[in-house]
Amino acid sequence: MKRLNVSEAWTRVCELDDILPDAGVCALVAGRQIALFRVDDAVYAIDNGDPASGANVLSRGIVGDIKGELVVASPLYKHHYVLRTGRCLEDSEKSVNVYPVRVEAGQVWVDASALQPARTPAKRRRLVVIGNGMAGMRTVEELLALAPDAYDIVVFGAEPHGNYNRILLSPVLAGEKRPEEIVLHPPEWYSEHGVTLHAGDPVVHVDRRRRTVKSSKGVEVSYDRLLFATGSRPVVLPIPGTELRNVITFRDLADVEAMLAAAKPGRKAVVIGGGLLGLEAANGLLSRGMSVTVVHNCETLMNRQLDAAAAGLLRASLASRGIEFHMPAETTALLGEGAVSAVRFADGAELPADLVVMAVGVRPNIDLARAAGIRCDRGILVNDTLQTWDPGIYAVGECVQHRNVTFGLVAPLWEQARVCAIHLAELGMSRYRGTLPAAQLKVTGIELYSAGDFRDTGDGEDIVLRDPARQIYKRLVIRDNKLRGAVLFGDASAGPWYLELMTGGRDVTGIRDALLFGPTSPES
């Protein structure tokens, strides 16, 4: 393709250092997406659109040399485009435009007059979302805000209703909220935003060659982009008796409804698991008038989120409400005839139980992705753009594994959704680099917050405040003059601020003396 004529209408795009050597970036110039590549201190500008797919992705391609031609490989199709001419080596009809570019004083300039108006796509592409939970629908929300006309969106969900706030299941169980109060996207929201929802109809098969999905009710839909948001599944202990009636996990609205049906005043409940969900379930059942015992296999509650001191205060607070504890204990069997009647432990002891709630963790729900040939380990493997190894398929939420980490809290899901939406909208480059873990217990009357890494590694220092009279405990961990971890009990108001300090990597030397008291001055 012939190079377009140079004019004097130059537009500054970025600094030269913004483009990594042998890599590309995307820029919006005169309403047109272009891809800029830096190779051997020269910069090349070509269309960012991949003619074979219509997707703006060439800036993410790999730069290399083929028979002396400097080319970029499309990340979607096996096409190579010559950076100097825009010619497609495999199909000349799919060549792209190149644009005049120059570098002056470390600044990259492009001749804007050479850019043609962006092409209007012949039709909108289709995005299929597998999963109607918080992560998938947050991605849809972000995408609609960024590019409302980019896709026809089809959502498949296993549950027979719209999306709701799973974080607020505990207040529903405790009677503090009604189910309708935690709904995030009622059925009318989907129709108002042009989103097709197949509720109560999960996808059971993905054909990556044909780019189609098929649901349990036989609905088959083709896709241009596919988003896995299949969440996680509750862990069920591999012990006898888990099939008995009134043995329930704590994961969705159906679980809450089952617990409420069994939660009669005066009956006995055993909650297996002393983590966040287990304690919230125990508090909710106590509020319904049940006698509740928490069983945990460790000596401390919430052992992944709390140190021993905070865990001790938490246990004492819950015990004062009437919750009993059996820990450490290893559950070996659930007993009963038809319905559960008791829990048996490794030491032979037994606890009577009319209801058993199993809250011992979750695992990424990856069966469908694995069957489709998507690379999985503990979760669906994704890169920093939330893209799987199939460039047309993305994944977000509790089903993913990113940099060897899986996720069970909501904060990482929001950030993943934002990054994924940016890439689906093809509006530039953004990366998900991970999220610091932070946990907050949702039990009315108890303030508890933990964030970061507060393990005793011997290379840091602790700042601790203990106020037994007010039942307040604060522990801050500092390494290399930066806040690395925080555990708060009794007063968690400064928790988000501490998390902000950790996320930003701020040097806290100047505010160290007042750090325990939170953001009390403009300088903090």
Side-chain angles (χ1 to χ4, degrees):
M1 178 171 290
K2 186 177 180 180
R3 183 181 294 275
L4 302 181
N5 290 330
V6 179
S7 78
E8 294 303 318
W10 293 89
T11 298
R12 189 180 70 85
V13 176
C14 63
E15 295 184 7
L16 179 62
D17 289 343
D18 290 335
I19 311 176
L20 296 176
D22 300 318
V25 298
C26 174
L28 189 65
V29 182
R32 184 70 176 266
Q33 285 197 32
I34 63 171
L36 296 167
F37 297 91
R38 177 182 175 185
V39 184
D40 296 332
D41 291 328
V43 178
Y44 304 90
I46 68 173
D47 285 331
N48 194 38
D50 175 2
S53 67
N56 289 307
V57 294
L58 291 189
S59 62
R60 294 158 58 187
I62 298 175
V63 175
D65 184 286
I66 296 181
K67 296 182 179 179
E69 296 270 27
L70 192 61
V71 302
V72 59
S74 167
L76 294 181
Y77 288 86
K78 294 181 179 178
H79 289 166
H80 299 82
Y81 300 89
V82 180
L83 293 181
R84 291 181 176 85
T85 66
R87 180 172 62 89
C88 177
L89 297 184
E90 291 77 17
D91 185 350
S92 60
E93 293 185 359
K94 290 184 169 58
S95 297
V96 297
N97 293 316
V98 295
Y99 303 102
V101 58
R102 69 187 187 194
V103 179
E104 292 183 358
Q107 305 292 314
V108 178
W109 297 74
V110 171
D111 182 0
S113 68
L115 274 68
Q116 302 170 354
R119 294 174 303 213
T120 301
K123 64 176 183 177
R124 295 205 300 184
R125 288 172 290 165
R126 179 177 291 144
L127 169 68
V128 172
V129 182
I130 304 178
N132 187 36
M134 295 175 68
M137 290 310 300
R138 182 60 172 255
T139 307
V140 170
E141 276 190 336
E142 296 270 6
L143 178 59
L144 289 173
L146 292 170
D149 299 318
Y151 293 93
D152 291 322
I153 302 174
V154 181
V155 178
F156 288 86
E159 296 184 70
H161 39 64
N163 175 38
Y164 58 89
N165 190 338
R166 201 179 301 274
I167 300 171
L168 297 179
L169 287 175
S170 299
V172 172
L173 179 61
E176 298 166 359
K177 287 188 177 293
R178 300 188 306 274
E180 57 268 27
E181 292 181 288
I182 71 170
V183 173
L184 296 172
H185 301 97
E188 55 269 22
W189 182 92
Y190 297 85
S191 57
E192 289 171 1
H193 290 81
V195 177
T196 302
L197 172 64
H198 296 276
D201 190 16
V203 170
V204 295
H205 180 69
V206 175
D207 187 331
R208 289 177 37 244
R209 291 193 65 181
R210 296 176 55 228
R211 290 199 165 199
T212 61
V213 302
K214 187 174 183 180
S215 74
S216 63
K217 295 180 180 179
V219 177
E220 187 169 283
V221 177
S222 62
Y223 67 83
D224 297 290
R225 296 289 181 272
L226 182 63
L227 175 63
F228 275 88
T230 46
S232 59
R233 289 177 175 170
V235 174
V236 177
L237 294 176
I239 58 176
T242 55
E243 76 287 349
L244 292 170
R245 208 164 56 248
N246 292 338
V247 177
I248 304 168
T249 56
F250 186 19
R251 190 63 191 154
D252 54 30
L253 269 175
D255 291 334
V256 172
E257 292 169 358
M259 278 190 268
L260 292 177
K264 308 300 181 185
R267 301 183 78 183
K268 298 181 183 299
V270 173
V271 178
I272 303 175
L276 277 171
L277 276 182
L279 297 181
E280 290 173 8
N283 180 72
L285 294 172
L286 184 73
S287 301
R288 298 290 180 172
M290 297 195 78
S291 172
V292 182
T293 300
V294 172
V295 174
H296 194 42
N297 62 355
C298 295
E299 294 183 354
T300 58
L301 296 174
M302 292 180 60
N303 48 289
R304 294 185 178 179
Q305 291 91 17
L306 300 181
D307 60 15
L313 290 170
L314 175 61
R315 177 171 176 170
S317 179
L318 293 172
S320 70
R321 299 179 174 214
I323 295 177
E324 298 181 355
F325 296 90
H326 190 78
M327 53 189 285
E330 180 184 353
T331 306
T332 57
L334 305 181
L335 311 177
E337 295 288 337
V340 69
S341 61
V343 179
R344 177 178 291 165
F345 304 103
D347 61 3
E350 295 182 4
L351 274 177
D354 301 299
L355 168 66
V356 171
V357 177
M358 205 165 286
V360 293
V362 296
R363 291 194 182 100
N365 186 5
I366 61 174
D367 292 348
L368 182 65
R370 179 169 279 157
I374 300 297
R375 291 178 181 171
C376 301
D377 184 23
R378 289 174 293 128
I380 301 172
L381 296 174
V382 296
N383 61 20
D384 287 358
T385 69
L386 284 307
Q387 191 178 50
T388 70
W389 79 284
D390 183 323
I393 300 178
Y394 293 75
V396 293
E398 294 182 348
C399 64
V400 311
Q401 180 177 335
H402 172 263
R403 299 190 184 186
N404 206 35
V405 176
T406 56
F407 306 88
L409 300 173
V410 70
L413 277 55
W414 289 168
E415 181 64 14
Q416 291 174 14
R418 185 189 69 82
V419 172
C420 185
I422 288 172
H423 285 277
L424 287 170
E426 299 174 354
L427 291 177
M429 185 66 178
S430 182
R431 292 182 177 180
Y432 176 69
R433 294 179 171 85
T435 307
L436 278 174
Q440 187 167 9
L441 186 67
K442 291 174 290 298
V443 172
T444 301
I446 296 180
E447 289 196 48
L448 185 152
Y449 187 93
S450 73
D453 181 6
F454 46 83
R455 296 171 299 169
D456 185 5
T457 58
D459 59 347
E461 59 175 324
D462 291 356
I463 305 177
V464 179
L465 181 148
R466 285 186 174 92
D467 187 343
R470 297 169 58 203
Q471 291 292 288
I472 290 177
Y473 170 78
K474 298 182 179 182
R475 175 173 166 239
L476 306 179
V477 178
I478 298 176
R479 299 189 190 99
D480 301 322
N481 298 320
K482 295 179 181 180
L483 183 63
R484 303 297 187 179
V487 182
L488 313 175
F489 184 89
D491 178 9
S493 58
W497 181 64
Y498 291 138
L499 181 62
E500 185 179 335
L501 291 178
M502 285 183 266
T503 302
R506 177 178 169 183
D507 189 313
V508 298
T509 303
I511 58 173
R512 185 188 183 284
D513 292 344
L515 201 56
L516 274 174
F517 306 102
T520 56
S521 66
E523 290 76 17
S524 62

